[in-house]
Amino acid sequence: MEIRTLPTVVFLSNIYENYKREQDELKQRKLCFLYRQAYNNFYEQFLIQHTLRCKFEIDLPPFLYAERDARAKAIEVVLQVAKNNKIDQCYSARIKELRKIGF
């Protein structure tokens, strides 16, 4: 008597791996979206701050400082969201906010 369970195990394993890969890709897209949203928000704030600071000095353009600071703050926020495992919650909340304002 021959028992052939290996193809079933391989089939189920492949289904699980595909599902896991799709979930990882979805999580990555959500994190990228949250990063872009955070960056845009922080960039505007830091641009105003650095424009006022650099107004009377000879310095690098304020947008360079704003980009640097916005990137660092956005990464910090997204890492905190991922650490707290609130990716889906933050993503859904941001989508709702964007829909409210018509995006």
Side-chain angles (χ1 to χ4, degrees):
M1 181 185 219
E2 184 179 327
I3 300 176
R4 295 180 45 165
T5 59
L6 187 60
T8 304
V9 171
V10 170
F11 176 73
L12 293 175
S13 176
N14 286 341
I15 289 175
Y16 174 74
E17 290 300 322
N18 288 337
Y19 174 77
K20 185 177 174 186
R21 185 179 67 249
E22 289 172 2
Q23 291 302 310
D24 289 344
E25 290 172 3
L26 180 61
K27 185 183 289 187
Q28 185 66 31
R29 285 195 305 266
K30 287 180 180 180
L31 283 172
C32 287
F33 172 79
L34 290 173
Y35 169 79
R36 286 191 308 270
Q37 294 295 308
Y39 174 83
N40 291 338
N41 184 34
F42 290 127
Y43 178 78
E44 293 173 10
Q45 294 174 10
F46 284 121
L47 184 60
I48 293 168
Q49 177 185 351
H50 289 297
T51 300
L52 294 174
R53 184 185 62 79
C54 294
K55 194 173 188 178
F56 302 107
E57 301 174 8
I58 297 177
D59 202 352
L60 292 173
F63 75 87
L64 292 174
Y65 293 113
E67 285 178 359
R68 177 197 64 193
D69 293 345
R71 190 177 310 115
K73 188 68 172 174
I75 289 171
E76 179 184 323
V77 167
V78 169
L79 287 175
Q80 190 64 36
V81 166
K83 179 181 173 185
N84 294 338
N85 201 21
K86 295 190 180 235
I87 297 168
D88 292 329
Q89 181 182 2
C90 291
Y91 179 81
S92 298
R94 185 61 184 156
I95 293 294
K96 286 179 185 176
E97 286 178 19
L98 290 174
R99 285 185 180 153
K100 277 184 184 178
I101 60 174
F103 277 101

